[in-house]
Amino acid sequence: MNILIFGPNGSGKGTQGAVVQKKYSVTHVESGVIFRENIKKGTEIGKKAKEYIDRGELVPDNITIPMIISRLQEPDCKNGWLLDGFPRSIEQAKALDEALEKAGIKLDVVIEIVLDREIAKNRIMGRRLCANDNNHPNNIFIDAIKPAEKDGQMVCRVCGGALSARSDDQDEVAIGKRHDIYYDAKTGTIAAVNYFKDVAAKKGTKIIGLDGKPGVKEVSEELMKKLG
Ligand code: AMP
């Protein structure tokens, strides 16, 4: 099962992605996570990507596209993948479509979480990252996934791990830039979603639209129902 998941930053895409990843036991490939790992390790990619990420801009295609296309060809992706955070533009959508076509890989499902921009922004600012696992959901503004407390400290609600906020999650200018890219229906991420909606019928890809406004649990249930 090969799946693409779209949703603006703050729509719960990571949380719902983790649910899908578990259901199908596919490899979760997240472009943002790959970049952050590269930054942590001080790799060439990390060094080049950091300034763009801090500004909330897209890392250039000549770095991002080959990085993702080669990641999808690694052995752990043979039995399926869930791609999250890529493509983010019409150019990346075309590059992915062409690479899949060339490799004879079918895209089975496209999931799109739809959420109003202002709500998404507030959710981003409340998000906290667990030091042990990026997929442990914690958000100080969402009751269902509020962090736990230990010795007066906020800790991960799943494993008790240390929590931190991403610096680009606390910067309103950077958030605005990321959302400008997402909601751009001409060349941005919405354009990439529409690109896949257009080719879906021809290629037998299932398209799933989800309202991201309800709580985490309700959205998950809707998603499971639609996945069948
Ligand atoms: P995310 O964790 O998905 O919010 O991604 C964090 C940052 O990584 C983004 O703001 C971009 O700077 C960079 N990034 C992630 N995915 C892509 C992509 N598909 N193309 C270019 N840059 C990306």
Side-chain angles (χ1 to χ4, degrees):
M1 183 72 83
N2 300 316
I3 306 163
L4 272 188
I5 187 163
F6 289 103
N9 297 110
S11 66
K13 176 170 56 78
T15 308
Q16 300 304 335
V19 173
V20 175
Q21 188 273 331
K22 231 183 189 164
K23 176 176 164 78
Y24 295 111
S25 302
V26 288
T27 299
H28 198 172
V29 177
E30 294 179 74
S31 50
V33 170
I34 300 176
F35 280 129
R36 284 189 287 282
E37 279 169 2
N38 274 281
I39 291 172
K40 224 187 206 166
K41 289 185 197 147
T43 68
E44 265 321 294
I45 286 185
K47 278 181 206 150
K48 284 185 195 152
K50 189 170 184 321
E51 54 175 312
Y52 297 96
I53 292 176
D54 286 345
R55 286 199 300 261
E57 292 169 9
L58 290 186
V59 178
D61 279 350
N62 64 350
I63 302 171
T64 309
I65 293 175
M67 179 182 88
I68 295 297
I69 302 292
S70 68
R71 178 68 189 88
L72 293 178
Q73 277 152 9
E74 282 177 28
D76 63 343
C77 287
K78 274 247 151 38
N79 291 324
W81 38 261
L82 169 73
L83 183 53
D84 177 343
F86 184 95
R88 257 170 154 97
S89 66
I90 190 81
E91 287 310 317
Q92 292 184 358
K94 284 181 190 160
L96 177 65
D97 188 33
E98 278 163 22
L100 295 179
E101 182 90 42
K102 207 167 137 197
I105 299 170
K106 187 184 167 208
L107 178 63
D108 298 293
V109 182
V110 171
I111 300 166
E112 180 194 14
I113 304 178
V114 178
L115 189 66
D116 180 78
R117 185 167 172 157
E118 196 56 29
I119 301 175
K121 179 182 144 191
N122 290 335
R123 287 195 184 167
I124 293 178
M125 299 194 81
R127 174 159 84 178
R128 296 295 177 268
L129 276 191
C130 169
N132 298 328
D133 189 333
N134 276 309
N135 286 323
H136 288 169
N138 289 275
N139 193 304
I140 60 171
F141 296 144
I142 303 175
D143 283 341
I145 54 169
K146 260 213 167 86
E149 230 188 270
K150 198 180 156 200
D151 305 327
Q153 286 265 337
M154 239 172 19
V155 293
C156 175
R157 55 186 290 280
V158 180
C159 71
L163 292 180
S164 63
R166 273 167 52 181
S167 56
D168 58 341
D169 277 355
Q170 301 302 307
D171 177 341
E172 288 198 44
V173 176
I175 293 169
K177 278 192 201 162
R178 276 145 76 196
H179 280 163
D180 283 347
I181 296 164
Y182 189 88
Y183 291 96
D184 174 356
K186 259 203 184 121
T187 60
T189 313
I190 294 284
V193 178
N194 291 337
Y195 177 92
F196 280 101
K197 280 183 183 164
D198 281 346
V199 297
K202 253 191 304 191
K203 300 196 175 179
T205 304
K206 182 173 179 171
I207 303 282
I208 293 178
L210 286 176
D211 176 9
K213 230 183 287 141
V216 171
K217 208 166 137 248
E218 288 88 344
V219 179
S220 287
E221 281 166 5
E222 184 69 12
L223 174 56
M224 286 304 134
K225 214 166 42 190
K226 290 186 168 167
L227 280 168

